[in-house]
Structures are given as structure tokens and as C-alpha cells.
Amino acid sequence: AVRAVQGSEADQWKGYGNAPAAKAPTSSGFSFNKSAVPIASSAAPVKFGFGNTTTTATTSSTSAPSGFSFTPKAAAPKVPDADAPPPKPKAEYGKPNFFTGCYLDMDNFWELEVDARANLFNLDKGFLNANRDTLQARIRKWYEHAGGFYRIPVQYVPIKDRDEYYARVIIKDTERTFFDPLHREKLAEFLHSMYHEFGSYGQAMSYLAGICLLGLTEEETASVLRKVVKEYIPGHWASEAVGFATNAWTWEAILQETHKDVAEHFNKMNFWPDTYLQKIMSGLCIHVLPFAQLFEFLDNFMEQGFPYLVKFCLGIIERFRTELLRIDSAVQMNELFSIMRLDASTVEVSDLKNILKNANRINVDDQLKRIDNIRSEAYDKKVGPRMNRAPKVEAFEPCTHCAVSYTHLRAHETPEHLVCRLLLEKKKKTTPTII
């Protein structure tokens, strides 16, 4: 069931916007509503995307925008979700246990992680070494784009129970990011603190933080993450990523206007945007693009926010329009996924350069002026009904044969009679034949 957005409807903001650096942003993304948002106190609830409400202290006298959000016309009744993560534990604040500066200021970081090619740097391809002298200055521009409003101290929450659900997830993600235990522990404590501030966590947060921390302090990196989570892609890194699904269908609605033939072809193929845009819109192309192209992508994203994601994805359509329209059978569906996810097996570096070059030339100004209405309609017509019709947890038996999460299955309206194919094969082998 869709989690209802907390707080008064009058406090909800729609759209996105790029805020002035010296004061609180007046809109959350690229909305054209310029009203001010009051704050009740220095520890007022902050809303992220769709219903992730948490309390965070701030020294500012005004509140950050709550990200785009809107209240569904009819809230679905709340159903116990056995697949949902446990409630967030109470934060126990303390002092940081590790160095809070940037990774490049730590002894032997380059040798232990970059030269040894830690998992985060799998697609480096020599970019970091070639740009070592200018790397920190380039990343610092992302911090400048975040604006002064988000420059507040990090409230550290040291990890005391390593078996607690989110602590365990975060520790696992840091192990997939760096090699050295000290570098992992530094990142884990920082992410754990940001999780308690945001009230949500996603693996992409670990990847983005790891890259930012190459050239920024933890406090500066926190400013970048706040900009991304609160304004650019709110609700994308929540346990139920309704924000991502809504933005994916918002993009599809724009595609209907800019490339109607491709949009109708995708619909005919039952090729839905929330199944193929996650690595771009939520993962921000980390572990997708080689670092040379990734940094160009992030430079543009940090400056423009969600509008750049719209243009970048339309750039994929423009580059591969002929190939996409040629795929016309279910047998070829993997080819559609491979193109739209920018798989290295299908998409060459020259294609990526073409997409990046053309993305900023794509004009969607008219659609961005109507983005609030487009987004609301996308939720009402696509996301809300799917969430309401999705089978409840009781319709599934736990699967020990695959890593598919049932939250993911419900979000994509998996019929209750469908089960894991691996589980089905096992049942075929173990069920005696009746003669």
C-alpha cells in the first residue's frame, strides 16, 4: 500500500528547483511555485519524497523544501508489510570516530584503493590518474552547486549495533565499495549518520558519497547528498521508491510528447520505464558509465538536477531510435533493456559521448513548465493504481532461491500466481509423477 505523506497538505511541495546558494530554496526542484515554507522549530519534521518523515536538527531559521510530493486522491488502507525493513532505531548521537576529511588526504588511499582498483573504481579506466591534479577542484563544484542552505554540520550517529538492519546493509555496501577496513569504516559511519538524518537509505547513496569524499570533507559531502535527496530525486532512495516510479512515468509522459512513436512502441511491448531507468535515475549511472563519461554526467546533474536526467534519457532515445523501433518481439526484450540501461555489451563509448553531447541540446522547457501537472497525472494514472492493485505480502511464499525482493515485485504489479522460476523448477524435480 502507498504510504501516505505526513503533515499538512498545505505544506506539500511539488516539482524541483535550483535554489539560490545564500538562502533557503524557494521551491523543491524545478517547480515554478515561489511561496515560502515556514518551519515550526529547529527540529521540525523534514519530508522526503513520499512519506519518509524524520526529525533532524538544523541551525537554519527556515526549512528545506520537502521534495516533490502530492497526496493521492484516495489513500489506500495501511496493510502490514512483512517484507518492509524494521523501524528506524533511535539515533544515539556522538562524536565521529574517524577522520572526517576527504579520502585523498588519507595516507596510502590512492595506492590501496585507486591503484588496486577497488570496486568503486571498476570503470575508472585510467581517468583518475590522468586527472589527479584537477580532480578535487572538479568535485568541489558539485558542493558549490548544492548551495549554502545545506551547509550545516553532520550529526554523527556511530554504529553501535552492527547487526541492526540498516547498519548491516550499510556495512555490506561499504565492503562492496572499498578494500581497506579503515576506509570502509569511515564511509559506514558517515552513511549511518546520513541515514538517520534522511530517514532512508539506498545503495546508490554509498556510491555517490564514496566519489564525493574523494575530494570533499564529510560535511561538504553531506551538503551534496542533501541537495540530491531533498530536491533532485526525493523518494528515489526510500525502501519503497515511489518517488522513482513516479519520476520514471513522468519521463515516459514527456517521451509521449517528444518521441511518440517510440513511446507507443514501448507500450506495445509492455516495456515500462520503472523497469529500465533505475540505474540512471536512482543509481546516477555509477557502475554504468566509464569514469570519463560518468564525471561529465555528474557535472551536469549536479548543476541541473532532475531536468538533466530527463534530457539524458531522451538522448538515449535519439541515439538509438532506429534500433529500438526495430525490436518487435518478446524474444528481443533483452535488447531493449540492454540499450536503455546502457550495457557495455551493447553501447559503445562513442555512443555515450554522443548521448552526453546531445543531452544539453534537447529542449524540454515546455514540459518542465508543466512538470507538476505531468508528475501528478503520472502518479494518479500509473503508480497509484499499480500499488493499490499489487498483491499483498501474503500472496507470496518466501523464496530462498533468488535475490528478488518482494517489495520490488509488488511495485511492478506481479500477479500473485507468478512464482520464482528457480523455485518452480525445483518443485518439478522433487514432485513425484502420478501415473
Side-chain angles (χ1 to χ4, degrees):
V2 179
R3 295 175 181 170
V5 177
Q6 303 294 318
S8 167
E9 290 186 20
D11 293 334
Q12 303 306 318
W13 283 69
K14 298 178 181 180
Y16 294 94
N18 295 322
K23 60 181 180 180
T26 54
S27 70
S28 57
F30 45 78
S31 171
F32 292 85
N33 183 347
K34 298 299 181 184
S35 303
V37 181
I39 185 169
S41 70
S42 61
V46 179
K47 295 179 283 296
F48 297 91
F50 295 80
N52 290 313
T53 305
T54 185
T55 300
T56 178
T58 174
T59 56
S60 175
S61 60
T62 54
S63 170
S66 60
F68 73 85
S69 61
F70 44 87
T71 304
K73 291 180 179 177
K78 223 167 175 161
V79 177
D81 189 352
D83 189 49
K88 186 181 75 170
K90 182 179 179 181
E92 296 184 28
Y93 298 103
K95 294 181 179 180
N97 293 311
F98 303 94
F99 173 66
T100 62
C102 69
Y103 275 122
L104 294 184
D105 287 342
M106 297 180 72
D107 293 339
N108 301 321
F109 176 84
W110 199 276
E111 292 75 13
L112 293 173
E113 306 292 355
V114 179
D115 290 343
R117 209 172 79 172
N119 293 336
L120 181 62
F121 308 125
N122 276 341
L123 296 178
D124 171 29
K125 299 183 183 297
F127 171 84
L128 293 178
N129 271 308
N131 294 272
R132 188 168 183 171
D133 294 338
T134 59
L135 188 64
Q136 285 183 275
R138 186 169 184 174
I139 295 175
R140 190 159 195 82
K141 289 183 180 179
W142 306 348
Y143 168 65
E144 292 168 359
H145 288 311
F149 181 75
Y150 294 115
R151 296 175 187 177
I152 57 177
V154 176
Q155 289 190 305
Y156 284 92
V157 185
I159 298 176
K160 294 185 177 180
D161 180 6
R162 299 177 72 87
D163 291 325
E164 185 272 324
Y165 178 84
Y166 273 105
R168 188 172 68 249
V169 170
I170 288 170
I171 290 169
K172 273 289 183 186
D173 285 347
T174 62
E175 291 172 354
R176 299 184 185 105
T177 303
F178 294 126
F179 288 148
D180 187 77
L182 178 60
H183 302 149
R184 292 174 175 177
E185 292 293 333
K186 166 183 163 66
L187 180 60
E189 183 173 89
F190 172 72
L191 292 173
H192 190 249
S193 303
M194 298 311 297
Y195 154 66
H196 276 275
E197 178 178 327
F198 296 150
S200 62
Y201 171 78
Q203 189 178 39
M205 189 190 301
S206 170
Y207 298 151
L208 182 59
I211 291 177
C212 289
L213 284 168
L214 291 177
L216 300 177
T217 67
E218 290 184 3
E219 187 168 310
E220 292 166 342
T221 298
S223 298
V224 175
L225 294 183
R226 290 179 187 121
K227 183 77 170 183
V228 172
V229 169
K230 292 188 178 186
E231 293 189 42
Y232 285 170
I233 51 171
H236 280 226
W237 295 344
S239 57
E240 287 189 354
V242 184
F244 160 69
T246 303
N247 270 345
W249 282 102
T250 298
W251 177 83
E252 193 273 345
I254 294 173
L255 182 69
Q256 288 278 2
E257 297 184 15
T258 60
H259 301 79
K260 190 174 182 63
D261 56 342
V262 177
E264 291 182 348
H265 181 62
F266 282 0
N267 286 334
K268 179 182 176 182
M269 297 288 292
N270 294 325
F271 188 54
W272 311 131
D274 50 351
T275 65
Y276 59 80
L277 290 180
Q278 193 168 20
K279 288 185 177 182
I280 297 174
M281 286 195 170
S282 292
L284 302 179
C285 288
I286 301 171
H287 290 304
V288 173
L289 300 180
F291 267 41
Q293 286 71 48
L294 174 64
F295 270 70
E296 184 175 348
F297 172 91
L298 290 175
D299 287 344
N300 284 291
F301 171 71
M302 293 300 179
E303 180 179 1
Q304 301 176 43
F306 182 72
Y308 182 73
L309 298 182
V310 172
K311 294 188 289 184
F312 181 83
C313 293
L314 290 177
I316 300 174
I317 299 296
E318 291 194 355
R319 176 65 185 86
F320 291 104
R321 179 179 172 277
T322 301
E323 291 85 346
L324 292 168
L325 291 174
R326 190 183 299 135
I327 299 170
D328 59 1
S329 71
V331 179
Q332 299 173 291
M333 284 293 285
N334 281 344
E335 295 180 36
L336 283 179
F337 279 106
S338 187
I339 291 174
M340 293 307 300
R341 290 175 174 173
L342 300 178
D343 290 349
S345 60
T346 302
V347 180
E348 299 180 356
V349 172
S350 59
D351 297 319
L352 300 176
K353 290 179 178 179
N354 178 276
I355 294 167
L356 287 162
K357 180 180 179 180
N358 290 330
N360 279 322
R361 298 178 180 176
I362 295 174
N363 188 338
V364 288
D365 290 348
D366 179 61
Q367 287 79 13
L368 295 183
K369 291 176 183 177
R370 298 180 283 111
I371 195 66
D372 289 348
N373 292 333
I374 296 174
R375 183 178 290 112
S376 296
E377 189 171 323
Y379 180 85
D380 289 341
K381 289 186 176 181
K382 299 294 184 179
V383 181
R386 283 172 172 247
M387 296 293 287
N388 291 334
R389 292 198 306 267
K392 304 300 181 283
V393 174
E394 292 76 13
F396 298 99
E397 58 180 285
C399 180
T400 58
H401 298 271
C402 70
V404 177
S405 76
Y406 292 117
T407 298
H408 175 81
L409 290 176
R410 287 199 306 279
H412 292 94
E413 201 182 2
T414 303
E416 62 185 59
H417 65 274
L418 292 182
V419 297
C420 167
R421 208 178 305 176
L422 295 175
L423 180 60
L424 193 61
E425 288 300 318
K426 183 183 178 184
K427 286 184 176 180
K428 285 181 181 179
K429 294 177 182 177
T430 57
T431 303
T433 304
I434 300 177
I435 302 176

